[in-house]
Amino acid sequence: MRTFTTLEGNSQRLDGGAMFGNAPKALWSRWVETDEHNRIALSCRALLVQEDDRNILIETGIGAFFSPEMKERYGVVERQHVLLDSLAEIGLTHEDMDVVILTHLHFDHAGGLLSAWQEGKPSELLFPNATFITGHRHWARARRPHPRDQASFIPQLLGLLEASGRLELVKDGQHSPTLGPDWRFRFSDGHTPGLMLPEFDMPDGPVVFPGDLIPGAPWVHLPITMGYDRFPEILIGEKEALLNDMVADNGRLVFTHDAKIAVARIGRDEESGLYRVRDTSDNLQKADH
């Protein structure tokens, strides 16, 4: 039996214009509210999948590893490590995780691997019993980032993951030896080279964690991309292919950054051809069907 639960991590407030790329505010302000600094609320959501007596965590959010100065710069709201609190609410700790899947290694998706900031002390790698799984090509990118996205990576985290002896890199088109053939991975290059999208089946259709390929419901609209995306035109094609599959297979997407919608199925309007979210669920929902 397989169940999944969405878990909240530390939230952020980031510039709305950066999150919606070249789309004008007159358009994207229909979907989200801004504060006095033009920032929008964002979740950093993880997904817990429980199966075969093992706990599999997809992403860890931004966590609390930043110093107070850096938290302010990147709009991190809470001081404590919220993902650890979310795990505690369902009777688990980071030590109970058997596998942690990382779609990519940008700090707002992998920072939760690290312990909370303490003055004068280096952050430690959490999840001591987990195998860490990420994409082979993206690992190479993280080791040698482009100047445009260099600030998105956490240099000390890469060393800690490598030193753990529990890092597993998945190549395009291959399965994870740890997870087995029941887990599939799509790969995407539009947001960052080698982004890895985990996919698994439920009785009523597949579930995909698209990470920053489709970070929330507004980004289901094909032309909408983020200013952080490396190759927006490539991303739009990758997004369309995924959405078409979700419509055809009655699949669900788990949104990592949407402040209100955690999980949704995808529909497509027959007349306009536009994609829509449907059957939406909010945070901390559990499903086994």
Side-chain angles (χ1 to χ4, degrees), residues 4-280:
F4 68 88
T5 307
T6 59
L7 300 173
E8 289 301 300
N10 291 71
S11 59
Q12 286 185 276
R13 300 194 73 89
L14 288 182
D15 183 81
M19 288 301 298
F20 287 99
N22 64 351
K25 185 177 181 180
L27 175 62
W28 58 258
S29 61
R30 302 174 190 174
W31 304 320
V32 294
E33 297 179 355
T34 59
D35 64 13
E36 66 275 16
H37 302 295
N38 203 48
R39 300 179 304 179
I40 66 172
L42 296 169
S43 288
C44 289
R45 184 175 292 109
L47 182 68
L48 174 66
V49 182
Q50 295 177 289
E51 61 177 28
D52 301 329
D53 298 322
R54 63 183 181 180
N55 296 313
I56 300 165
L57 186 67
I58 304 177
E59 296 208 341
T60 61
I62 196 168
F65 76 99
F66 273 144
S67 67
E69 177 186 356
M70 295 298 287
K71 283 183 180 180
E72 177 69 21
R73 177 181 300 180
Y74 288 106
V76 182
V77 176
E78 304 88 0
R79 296 182 60 185
Q80 77 277 14
H81 197 318
V82 174
L83 177 62
L84 301 186
D85 294 341
S86 294
L87 285 169
E89 288 178 9
I90 56 174
L92 296 172
T93 74
H94 68 102
E95 296 175 342
D96 295 315
M97 299 302 106
D98 300 292
V99 179
V100 176
I101 302 172
L102 302 162
T103 66
H104 61 305
L105 293 161
H106 289 172
F107 62 74
D108 56 327
H109 297 262
L113 291 173
L114 298 172
S115 59
W117 180 85
Q118 297 183 61
E119 188 172 4
K121 294 184 179 181
S123 293
E124 299 179 354
L125 184 66
L126 301 176
F127 305 94
N129 301 309
T131 298
F132 303 106
I133 300 175
T134 195
H136 186 273
R137 283 195 300 114
H138 184 69
W139 177 259
R141 173 70 171 206
R143 294 292 300 272
R144 297 175 182 84
H146 189 276
R148 190 179 187 277
D149 63 356
Q150 186 171 4
S152 296
F153 295 102
I154 312 169
Q156 67 267 32
L157 175 60
L158 303 182
L160 291 170
L161 287 172
E162 203 163 34
S164 74
R166 293 177 278 118
L167 177 64
E168 181 178 299
L169 303 179
V170 179
K171 293 183 178 180
D172 292 34
Q174 295 187 357
H175 292 289
S176 157
T178 297
L179 291 174
D182 285 345
W183 283 76
R184 303 178 296 279
F185 297 100
R186 299 168 183 252
F187 287 87
S188 164
D189 296 308
H191 176 67
T192 185
L195 179 78
M196 187 174 75
L197 284 57
E199 178 177 359
F200 57 89
D201 289 323
M202 298 295 287
D204 59 348
V207 177
V208 176
F209 195 101
D212 277 342
L213 177 63
I214 308 177
W219 292 268
V220 165
H221 300 290
L222 280 186
I224 302 300
T225 62
M226 296 187 290
Y228 303 108
D229 295 329
R230 290 292 293 116
F231 306 104
E233 291 187 7
I234 292 175
L235 184 144
I236 289 171
E238 295 170 338
K239 178 164 56 171
E240 184 175 25
L242 174 59
L243 292 173
N244 283 339
D245 286 347
M246 293 297 97
V247 172
D249 299 334
N250 195 36
R252 280 173 285 187
L253 298 180
V254 179
F255 298 129
T256 187
H257 285 315
D258 198 300
K260 295 181 178 179
I261 298 175
V263 184
R265 297 190 191 275
I266 305 300
R268 190 173 192 183
D269 186 82
E270 293 184 3
E271 293 186 8
S272 67
L274 297 177
Y275 297 97
R276 310 286 189 189
V277 295
R278 61 180 182 86
D279 299 338
T280 59

